[in-house]
Amino acid sequence: MEPTTTTTKLNLTQDEIVGILESYSQAADRLKESHDVLQLEVRRLREELANKNRQLERRKRLAALGEMAAGLAHEIRNPLGGIQLYANLLKKDLTGQLEQLQIVDKIIMGVRSLDALVTDVLAMTHTVEPKFAAMDLVQVVGTAVELVQPQLAEKQSQVSIHSPASLEMFGDPNMLQRAFLNLIRNAVDAAGQGGQVFIDLNRKQKFILMQVADTGPGIDPEITDRIFNPFFTTKDTGTGLGLSIVHRIIEAHDGTIKVGNAPAGGANFTLKFPYKVSTVQSQGSE
Ligand code: ADP
C-alpha cells in the first residue's frame, strides 16, 4: 500500500503573521538582555576570583616568610639580650669616661633598633588577631599624631586633622594606632622640611573612610604595586615593613587600603573599613 502524506495548511492572516514576528523579536530582545546581564555578572565574578586569588597568594607568601622570620627573630633576640646586658654593665664601669660612654650608648641604640626591627618582622608575619574593644577613632589618630611630634618639630612640618569631634566604634586601638603611626611617619618623612600632612577621617553610612595625604613628591606609579610588599623600601635606612604592617592591620579590620597621588602631587593613602559598633554586629555590608 502506498504511504499517505497529510499536509496541514495554516491559513494565517497578515496581522497574525506580524503579531508572531513581533513576539519573536521581543523574545529575542529579552534573551539578549539576559545574556548581557549574565555576561556582566560573569565578568564581575571573574574579577572577584582574581582578587581573592591575589589575596590568597599574598597570604601564602607571608605565611612562608613568617615561619622563617619567626625562627630568625628568636635566634636574633637571644644574643641581642646578652649584648644589651653586657653593654649596660660596661656603662657602669665606665663612669666619667665620656668618650667610651658615647661608644657604649651607640651600641645600646643599635641593639634597640635591631630589637624594634625584630618586633616589626614578627608583627608583619604573625597571624593578626585584633583585640576588639570600644574606642574613639579620633582619639587614636590624635595619639598617633602626638607620637610624631619630635619628628614634626625637627622638620618644622605640620599635620592637620579634619574629623568629627569623636568617632566611637569597635576596633583594636593598639593595632590601629600602630597603622596610623606608620602612615603618618612615612608622610612626614616624604613631605620633608616644612612639609604638610593632611588627615581626613569620616564615617559614611556603614564605612569609616580615612585619607592620609602629604605634600611630598608622591609615589612613582612604577612602584605602586610593590609598596605594600614586606621589605620593599626606597629609603637607605628603611626596613620596608611599615606599609606591610599597615596592610595587615587594615585587613584584620576587614578593610582596604589604596594608594594614589593627590592632584597637588603628594602621596594619598585611602583607608576604608566597616563601621563596627560591637564585636558581633558587623555593619559593613553594602
Ligand atoms: P620604609 O618606610 O621602611 O621604606 P614602608 O613599608 O613604610 O617602609 O614604605 C615602603 C616604601 O613606600 C617607602 O620606602 C617609600 O618608597 C614608599 N612610601 C611610603 N609612604 C610614602 C609617602 N607618603 N610618600 C612617598 N613614598 C612613600
Side-chain angles (χ1 to χ4, degrees), residues 186-187 190 214 218-219 227 232-235 238-243 267 269:
N186 275 345
D214 60 65
I219 292 169
I227 62 168
F232 176 83
T233 183
T234 55
K235 301 176 189 169
T239 62
L241 290 175
L243 286 181
F269 286 84

Side-chain angles (χ1 to χ4, degrees), residues 11-24:
N11 287 322
L12 295 173
T13 63
Q14 199 172 352
D15 281 353
E16 281 168 331
I17 294 173
V18 170
I20 290 171
L21 284 176
E22 262 173 17
S23 312
Y24 173 79

Side-chain angles (χ1 to χ4, degrees), residues 154-222:
E154 189 195 313
K155 293 190 188 266
Q156 292 183 313
S157 39
Q158 275 185 338
V159 176
S160 29
I161 307 176
H162 181 255
S163 74
S166 70
L167 227 171
E168 296 286 338
M169 62 166 270
F170 254 73
D172 184 323
N174 293 326
M175 276 183 146
L176 288 173
Q177 183 184 304
R178 180 177 198 147
F180 301 155
L181 182 62
N182 287 358
L183 285 174
I184 299 167
R185 270 210 181 117
N186 275 345
V188 175
D189 250 11
Q193 206 66 27
Q196 277 186 292
V197 177
F198 306 97
I199 300 175
D200 200 286
L201 178 64
N202 235 312
R203 172 158 86 88
K204 254 203 181 140
Q205 290 148 7
K206 297 164 181 171
F207 290 92
I208 299 286
L209 296 178
M210 182 172 170
Q211 295 204 338
V212 181
D214 60 65
T215 53
I219 292 169
D220 184 345
E222 282 199 356

Side-chain angles (χ1 to χ4, degrees), residues 20 33 43 63-64 95 104 114 125 149 197 216:
I20 290 171
E33 269 168 32
R43 196 176 310 153
T95 319
V104 178
L114 269 177
T125 53
Q149 281 307 330
V197 177

